[in-house]
Amino acid sequence: MGKKTEKLLSILQLQPVVPVLVVDNAATVVPLARALVEGGLKAIEITLRTEAALDAIKAVADEVEGAEVGAGTILNARQYEAAVKAGSQFIVSPGTTQELLDAAARSDVPMLPGAATPSEIMALREEGYAVMKFFPAEQAGGAAYLKSLASPFGGISFCPTGGITAASAGTYLALPNVVCVGGSWVAPKNLVEAGDWAAITALAADASKLAG
């Protein structure tokens, strides 16, 4: 196992659920991240789907003690490099391109690349990857599909993300090839907008105790 794989696993194994955040206002992200960390969810993915995302990553990296902040929805090398510069400790992509593989090879910050088919998994394995994001999990076949990949792809671990809820997370976490799941239910938009950080800490605490 390479050093970057070990580094990535050390982050993903911190907890059963990695919060996947879409941040519209960077001002809310520090109390939000602190609430998640207090509830036991230290690894946090902030997706690059909004203009506030890079500022939000920098704020969490600079101001939230105990947080391991990563950048999600990384689609190209420019975004990869900008996310690393902002303080990202891991990079998450919904898929994989040669451009992204090259950017990851140049960086000390590990990438969790997306894969949803046997061919994509095989291509990534040839590139030396043993940990992948399975996306979009529910829409691509769910836990039953992922379970069927365990035998032909021994030694490959997944972080399924996409459509997973508090109710379905345990089914994924019970699979031998799942290291953690990604989920947005721990930081619902209405609670973030209301600034109800105690409620988010409670959701995070429940998620941190999930097991398969």
Side-chain angles (χ1 to χ4, degrees), residues 54-178:
L54 288 171
D55 288 339
I57 289 166
K58 188 174 190 314
V60 173
D62 290 347
E63 300 177 44
V64 183
E65 189 175 347
E68 299 272 354
V69 64
T73 322
I74 297 295
L75 304 178
N76 54 51
R78 180 180 54 79
Q79 290 181 334
Y80 197 120
E81 287 150 14
V84 169
K85 189 176 179 183
S88 297
Q89 289 156 294
F90 62 102
I91 297 292
V92 185
S93 176
T96 314
T97 65
Q98 191 58 52
E99 182 186 352
L100 276 176
L101 291 170
D102 292 344
R106 291 192 298 268
S107 178
D108 290 332
V109 176
M111 177 171 73
L112 178 67
T117 68
S119 293
E120 290 169 351
I121 294 163
M122 289 165 67
L124 282 169
R125 187 168 65 172
E126 286 180 6
E127 293 285 343
Y129 285 87
V131 188
M132 304 170 194
K133 171 176 174 167
F134 175 58
F135 176 84
E138 284 289 286
Q139 297 82 352
Y145 179 91
L146 203 49
K147 183 179 181 181
S148 72
L149 297 175
S151 181
F153 297 113
I156 303 294
S157 298
F158 296 92
C159 172
T161 304
I164 298 174
T165 65
S168 64
T171 306
Y172 284 93
L173 291 166
L175 299 178
N177 56 344
V178 168

Side-chain angles (χ1 to χ4, degrees), residues 17 19 35-41 186 199-209:
V17 180
L36 291 168
V37 170
E38 187 180 341
L41 303 184
V186 292
I200 288 172
T201 293
L203 286 174
D206 287 343
S208 71
K209 295 176 190 136

